[in-house]
Amino acid sequence: MAKLFRAAIMGPPGSGKGTISKRIAQSFGLQYLSSGHYLRESIAANTEAGVLVKTHVERGMLVPDHVMTRLMLPRLEQLNSHSWLLDGFPRTLSQALALNNLYQLDLVISLNIPYETLRERLSDRWIHPGSGRVYNMGFNPPQVQSKDDITGEPLIQHDDDKPEALMARLRHYKDVAKPVIDLYKSQGILHSFSGTETDRIWPYINSLLSTKMHTQPLDACQSQTP
Ligand SMILES: Nc1nc2c(ncn2[C@@H]2O[C@H](COP(=O)(O)OP(=O)(O)O)[C@@H](O)[C@H]2O)c(=O)[nH]1
Ligand SMILES: Nc1ncnc2c1ncn2[C@@H]1O[C@H](COP(=O)(O)OP(=O)(O)O)[C@@H](O)[C@H]1O
């Protein structure tokens, strides 16, 4: 059996984690787990935990560590024989140490994107709530305005992409991410990418993963085109 590969992607809100993760999952066959997706699922379920999550997400605050680890770690246990990619978890040192107790990551991708680019992108981000499909009115617009390409259902904007919550999220991100980034740097598994365009960063990530996984991407021909 091929060696399992475990990776995480980090970066501030709007840095393109979701967009790049989907390309990685598609090209390299990793299972994709997004903290934001599971949090929104728990909010929609309206459980006691979901109500607590909602109050934090709406204010642009991080959800408490014990809630996050309880949400994410059991899902990884169900994927014991799969390679996976985590998006949005771990976000704090405490989450990273809890994950470290169970799994040794092979690779962590960190995205460094200028603040102004993040602000522009998020004010234009629209989501299909049922599937989590993400659109941007300039970068990847839906075929029909404000409608999901697959289902035709209306698109929405997350409350936490609106300006007040966004500022708070960006400010918190840097402080909280630093010790996590330092931890992965000290383990020799951190790879950072800077830029303002996902399409220019993607070929470098694609090539890094091809080397690290000792494999050609599943859609090598498509993803190599400039
Ligand atoms: N203009 C532009 N928008 C992008 C680019 N990459 C991603 N986006 C959009 O920016 C928004 C944030 O990207 P997303 O992948 O959701 O970021 P995340 O918050 O880090 O997961 C989405 O609306 C994407 O469609 C890019 O290179 N240029
Ligand atoms: N690992 C995490 N720890 C704490 N809170 C989290 C975590 N992941 C997501 N959240 C919460 O969910 C919100 C949305 O997260 P996400 O969908 O990953 O979007 P983004 O990358 O754009 O912040 C965050 O602003 C935060 O409130």
Side-chain angles (χ1 to χ4, degrees):
M1 195 173 80
K3 184 188 172 300
L4 296 178
F5 191 80
R6 269 113 193 215
I9 184 162
M10 299 182 62
S15 56
K17 299 183 296 295
T19 305
I20 289 172
S21 294
K22 285 193 190 101
R23 294 185 190 186
I24 294 175
Q26 206 174 4
S27 298
F28 296 94
L30 302 180
Q31 288 275 334
Y32 167 52
L33 295 101
S34 146
S35 64
H37 172 79
Y38 292 124
L39 287 171
R40 283 185 275 278
E41 206 175 70
S42 108
I43 293 173
N46 207 20
T47 55
E48 202 178 317
V51 173
L52 176 81
V53 165
K54 188 166 191 254
T55 58
H56 286 78
V57 171
E58 273 180 354
R59 291 181 204 153
M61 286 161 59
L62 290 181
V63 173
D65 289 331
H66 69 279
V67 177
M68 285 314 301
T69 48
R70 214 176 299 149
L71 186 75
M72 299 302 290
L73 297 180
R75 292 176 201 271
L76 294 179
E77 278 161 32
Q78 288 166 5
L79 290 176
N80 259 335
S81 52
H82 286 81
S83 293
W84 40 251
L85 170 69
L86 285 169
D87 165 7
F89 179 89
R91 221 149 170 151
T92 66
L93 185 59
S94 157
Q95 292 174 19
L97 295 174
L99 177 66
N100 226 38
N101 281 338
L102 296 174
Y103 303 98
Q104 172 60 54
L105 294 180
D106 298 293
L107 175 80
V108 175
I109 294 167
S110 168
L111 302 174
N112 298 321
I113 312 296
Y115 170 76
E116 193 50 29
T117 307
L118 300 175
R119 202 186 52 73
E120 277 169 20
R121 283 184 190 177
L122 291 183
S123 59
D124 239 1
R125 173 160 74 173
W126 290 81
I127 314 272
H128 174 240
S131 66
R133 274 185 286 280
V134 175
Y135 299 88
N136 177 284
M137 291 313 160
F139 179 64
N140 58 331
Q143 285 157 14
V144 175
Q145 201 185 356
S146 307
K147 297 274 196 295
D148 177 50
D149 286 351
I150 310 286
T151 63
E153 289 165 357
L155 302 178
I156 58 147
Q157 259 200 314
H158 285 153
D159 286 343
D160 56 351
D161 281 348
K162 293 178 182 157
E164 320 79 68
L166 181 60
M167 282 304 292
R169 287 160 77 205
L170 291 177
R171 225 176 297 124
H172 278 305
Y173 176 79
K174 255 199 173 138
D175 298 344
V176 172
K178 174 132 192 350
V180 183
I181 286 178
D182 289 346
L183 172 73
Y184 292 136
K185 215 183 269 175
S186 75
Q187 293 179 347
I189 56 171
L190 184 81
H191 295 259
S192 299
F193 298 87
S194 304
T196 55
E197 287 170 54
T198 296
D199 287 347
R200 293 179 78 115
I201 293 175
W202 168 242
Y204 293 98
I205 295 181
N206 191 25
S207 134
L208 172 71
L209 277 157
S210 302
T211 311
K212 291 281 174 194
M213 294 180 71
H214 306 294
T215 170
Q216 279 300 304
L218 300 175
D219 60 350
C221 302
Q222 289 164 25
S223 49
Q224 306 275 319
T225 45

